């Protein structure tokens, strides 16, 4: 098992801090203008109000999947994320200010405010995502096909949730990728919840890694929500893809601390679940391990936290200060 | 530039071949496009020239390979993806209308998706409701896709080269009945002289394929040829029909339509797609919105497939697809019709 070198380990830790702090900030900002309840209008929660309209899906708890995989990638590699995309985007290097501006619907955003939080497109970092469950896999196959045909040596990673594995896109993509030996790695985030339906009520097998085997693809299970374990599983898969060895599917058991969306009453799971999950928070787990090895001390932790907070603060300030697109922009950019 | 007669299928295959030679980023994939040469011969002979990496047979997995076309285009390639029959698009509609058509807009114009989706449309040969639709209005309805529907070999080549060079998703729809296939009866008018060299035809420019002064027929694809045959009959009766071949639905050349209707004062839209909520309604609405500038001599008329699936029986199918006789009848009625005097 290859351990990340200290620099990489530090990057993983710091990136998880940024992601968590980013999402905690976003969770607060999201409530601006939505709460307190607007009783007069009969609303408990006005989803359209405030600086961040629409649905909001946060990934707190799932950071290990993003950093453990993206630690092996370069700007030339493609990542296609899900409707819960921030941890992937940040780990892939999508600039925080433009991403935040997009989430605010501002003209300085990645998509000039036309995509919003589920539709982040960052060409220089080859990052995209989709609001449609299961839809990340076919385009990732296409990016991998392009890499193969041009001999660029790049790989593509499709992240998806365990609920998406019951979509036709999953099965078609696995077959195509195996058939054409595409340099693609499929990474399943198994947080056990397809919105409100538990995995055991929706999926006929315990592990999607086993489904991969049926398509002639190596299936790897990472059974604990640990950045180092993900890093160790992803490394060989990405190397194999880069060297022409074809696709791999990695399924990571991970934890969704938040509801499916912000405002989700979470009637489908016990109130005790999240506090129990948080006892093994992956950021603290990595921190403890790095402290044991002498790679991290109080001073460094404080410095990294301050730096993460400053980055996030700058991004939100940029987004707030940015202008909205002009009205006529609504009619522009249908075509390139 | 030398010319020779080509079928529409040959013209399309020639266009794809010339563009693949010119640009190594262009490649084709789809069901049976390799050794078979495409069910409708649109890629005939290309496998031998370009090999299986660039003329790529796919599994019957439309979601995967249409989605892969989007991903490959985002990564700098220029894929052509053939999905045999337009009727099959439902199995991968998400990848088409939620991703291919929308991602340029949602990226604020940053993302270019130069994908050409090719597919066969149309009925008239007894293949029933799941293999005979046109559906171009369905795709023209959704913003973000250009929609090309050629009626002859010359246009087919120029529009295909234009489609491949366009930085946007283009849905390129060819009617089976005008491809010049040896196993299907077809209209000779679609097989035309085609220059050997590469050339482009701009999108959004309709062709006035016949000039006339009494009635304007706006149409496209195979119906152009049916309209031409009807016009020949009508000319013998003294009715001169002007025929407009739209060639592309997105972008739509409304100026040519309006100019012609202003001249003739009478409009018939002939459409092989469904009548309801479709192309014929769109063209009628465009004219209605310009009635300050256009004086109509008769009400607007539409011929299209009534709101029924295409039936199988040879006794039924001709009842729903506009025929040469029906086109001629409606034109005659139009010439006789009068707008009621304004109250």
């Amino acid at each position: 098992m290859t351990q990340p070198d200290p620099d990489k380990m530090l990057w993983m830790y710091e990136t998880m801090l940024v992601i968590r702090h980013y999402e905690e900030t976003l969770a607060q900002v999201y409530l601006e203008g939505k709460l307190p309840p607007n009783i007069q209008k009969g609303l408990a929660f006005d989803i359209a109000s405030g600086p961040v309209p629409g649905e909001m899906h946060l990934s707190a708890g799932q950071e290990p999947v993003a950093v453990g995989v993206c630690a092996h990638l370069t700007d030339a590699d493609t990542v296609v994320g899900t409707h819960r995309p921030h941890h992937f985007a940040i780990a892939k290097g999508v600039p925080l200010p433009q991403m935040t501006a997009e989430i605010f619907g501002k003209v300085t955003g990645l998509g000039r405010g036309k995509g919003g939080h589920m539709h982040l497109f960052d060409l220089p970092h080859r990052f995209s995502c989709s609001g449609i469950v299961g839809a990340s896999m076919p385009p990732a196959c296409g990016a991998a096909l392009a890499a193969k045909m041009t001999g660029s040596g790049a790989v593509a990673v499709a992240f998806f949730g365990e609920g998406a594995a019951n979509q036709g896109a999953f099965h078609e993509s696995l077959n195509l990728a195996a058939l054409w030996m595409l340099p693609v790695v499929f990474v399943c985030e198994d947080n056990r919840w397809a919105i409100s339906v538990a995995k055991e009520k929706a999926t006929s097998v315990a592990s999607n890694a086993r489904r991969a085997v049926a398509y002639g693809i190596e299936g790897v299970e990472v059974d604990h929500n640990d950045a180092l374990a993900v890093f160790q599983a992803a490394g060989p898969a990405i190397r194999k893809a880069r060297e022409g060895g074809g696709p791999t599917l990695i399924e990571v058991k991970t934890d969704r601390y938040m509801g499916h969306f912000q405002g989700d009453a979470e009637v489908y799971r016990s109130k005790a679940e999240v506090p129990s999950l948080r006892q093994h928070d992956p950021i603290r787990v990595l921190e403890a391990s790095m402290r044991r090895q002498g790679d991290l001390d109080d001073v460094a932790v404080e410095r990294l936290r301050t730096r993460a907070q400053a980055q996030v603060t700058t991004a939100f300030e940029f987004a707030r200060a940015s202008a909205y697109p002009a009205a006529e922009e609504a009619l522009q950019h249908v075509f390139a | 530039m030398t010319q020779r007669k080509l079928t529409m299928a040959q013209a399309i295959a020639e266009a794809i071949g010339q563009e693949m030679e010119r640009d190594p980023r262009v490649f084709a994939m789809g069901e049976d496009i390799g050794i078979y040469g495409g069910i409708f011969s649109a890629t005939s002979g290309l496998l031998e020239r370009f090999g299986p990496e660039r003329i790529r047979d796919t599994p019957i997995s439309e979601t995967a390979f249409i989605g892969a076309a989007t991903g490959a285009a985002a990564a700098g390639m220029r894929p052509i993806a053939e999905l045999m029959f337009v009727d099959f698009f439902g199995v991968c509609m998400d990848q088409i209308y939620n991703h291919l058509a929308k991602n340029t807009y949602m990226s604020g114009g940053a993302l270019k998706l130069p994908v050409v989706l090719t597919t066969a449309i149309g009925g008239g040969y007894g293949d029933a409701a799941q293999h005979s639709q046109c559906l171009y209005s369905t795709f023209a309805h959704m913003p973000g896709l250009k929609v090309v529907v050629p009626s002859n070999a010359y246009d087919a080549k120029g529009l295909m080269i234009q489609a491949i060079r366009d930085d946007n998703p283009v849905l390129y729809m060819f009617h089976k009945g005008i491809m010049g296939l040896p196993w299907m009866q077809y209209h000779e008018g679609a097989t035309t002289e085609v220059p050997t060299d590469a050339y482009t035809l701009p999108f959004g420019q309709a062709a006035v394929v016949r000039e006339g002064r009494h009635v304007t027929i706006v149409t496209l694809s195979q119906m152009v040829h049916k309209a031409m045959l009807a016009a020949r009959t009508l000319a013998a009766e003294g009715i001169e029909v002007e025929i407009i071949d739209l060639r592309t639905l997105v972008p739509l050349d409304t100026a040519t339509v309006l100019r012609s209707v202003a001249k003739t004062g009478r409009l018939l839209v002939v459409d092989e797609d469904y009548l309801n909520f479709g192309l014929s309604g769109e063209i009628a609405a465009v004219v209605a919105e310009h009635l300050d500038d256009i004086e109509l001599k008769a009400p607007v008329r539409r011929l299209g497939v009534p709101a029924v699936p295409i039936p199988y029986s040879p006794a039924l199918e001709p009842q729903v697809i506009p025929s040469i006789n029906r086109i001629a009848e409606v034109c005659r009625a139009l010439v006789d019709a009068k707008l009621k005097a304004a109250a």
Side-chain angles (χ1 to χ4, degrees), chain A residues 62 65 84 160-164 166 188-203 205-206 208 225 251-258 260 268-270 272-274 276-277:
Chain A
Q62 302 188 178
V65 189
R84 195 180 302 288
F160 60 100
E162 91 287 344
N166 295 319
C188 179
E189 286 186 295
D190 177 11
N191 65 20
R192 215 187 128 229
W193 293 108
I195 305 185
S196 70
V197 178
K199 183 181 183 181
E200 58 269 22
K201 288 186 181 168
T203 304
V205 291
N208 286 302
N225 191 29
E251 180 165 271
V252 184
K253 299 263 183 279
T254 190
D255 298 324
R256 192 183 90 195
Y257 291 172
M258 318 302 278
H260 167 65
Y268 46 86
R269 66 173 168 180
S270 92
E273 181 175 314
V274 173
S276 130
L277 296 174

Side-chain angles (χ1 to χ4, degrees), chain B residues 17-216:
Chain B
Q18 285 177 340
E19 285 303 288
M20 286 183 67
E21 256 165 25
R22 189 185 64 84
D23 185 346
R25 297 170 301 172
V26 178
F27 71 100
M29 59 180 164
E31 293 153 356
D32 307 288
I33 69 157
I35 193 151
Y36 200 100
I39 295 296
F40 304 102
S41 302
T43 51
S44 195
L46 297 179
L47 177 70
E48 292 80 354
R49 282 168 65 197
F50 298 102
E53 280 289 300
R54 291 183 72 197
I55 298 292
R56 194 171 272 269
D57 271 327
T58 62
I60 302 173
S61 302
E62 294 85 356
T63 293
F65 80 78
I66 298 291
T70 302
M77 302 297 280
R78 304 186 81 85
I80 300 163
E82 178 167 315
L83 207 179
M84 211 179 282
F85 290 77
V86 74
D87 314 75
F88 302 170
F89 275 56
V91 295
C92 58
M93 203 59 160
D94 171 61
Q95 287 294 331
I96 298 168
Y97 84 111
N98 270 325
H99 296 88
L100 184 62
K102 290 176 181 159
N103 285 358
T104 296
Y105 186 78
M106 291 206 291
S107 70
L111 193 65
K112 293 182 171 76
L113 293 171
V115 175
V116 183
L117 291 187
T118 61
T119 192
I121 62 169
Y125 63 106
D127 228 8
Q130 296 171 350
H131 291 73
S132 302
Q133 300 172 95
C134 285
L135 298 183
Y136 34 71
S137 292
T138 303
F139 296 93
H141 180 64
M142 296 180 294
L145 297 169
K146 296 190 179 179
V147 178
V148 177
V149 195
S151 69
N152 63 74
Y154 178 86
D155 289 0
K157 180 172 173 181
L159 290 169
M160 175 53 81
I161 294 176
Q162 182 74 20
I164 294 168
R165 294 181 188 177
D166 197 295
D167 277 339
N168 293 288
V170 178
L171 193 48
Y172 186 104
M173 308 168 106
F174 46 76
H175 195 294
K176 298 149 216 162
I178 50 176
M179 286 291 269
L181 304 170
W183 46 277
M184 190 173 288
Q185 204 176 30
Y186 66 97
H187 291 275
E188 289 294 339
T191 298
T192 64
E193 296 279 327
V194 176
T196 50
D197 290 353
Y199 60 94
T200 58
L201 281 183
F203 291 166
Q205 285 191 11
V208 180
V209 294
R210 186 182 199 285
E211 299 215 18
R213 58 202 167 90
H214 296 121
V215 182
T216 296

Side-chain angles (χ1 to χ4, degrees), chain A residues 274-295:
Chain A
V274 173
S276 130
L277 296 174
R278 280 186 186 266
Q279 284 179 359
H280 313 280
D281 190 277
I283 300 179
R284 284 209 311 278
V285 168
L286 183 62
E287 184 182 312
S289 153
M290 290 169 74
R291 279 176 188 269
R292 274 197 303 278
Q293 290 178 29
D295 292 329

Side-chain angles (χ1 to χ4, degrees), chain B residues 247-292:
Chain B
R247 300 202 285 201
T248 67
L249 295 191
V250 182
L252 181 66
D253 180 2
T254 55
T256 298
V257 171
L258 292 171
R259 206 178 305 124
S260 176
V261 178
K263 180 171 89 171
T264 63
R266 297 180 182 91
L267 171 65
L268 166 62
V269 186
V270 180
D271 185 7
E272 198 184 321
D273 204 347
Y274 302 117
L275 192 65
N276 293 17
F277 302 92
L279 169 73
S280 60
E282 182 70 24
I283 298 295
V286 165
V287 170
E289 282 164 350
H290 288 80
L291 287 178
D292 276 348

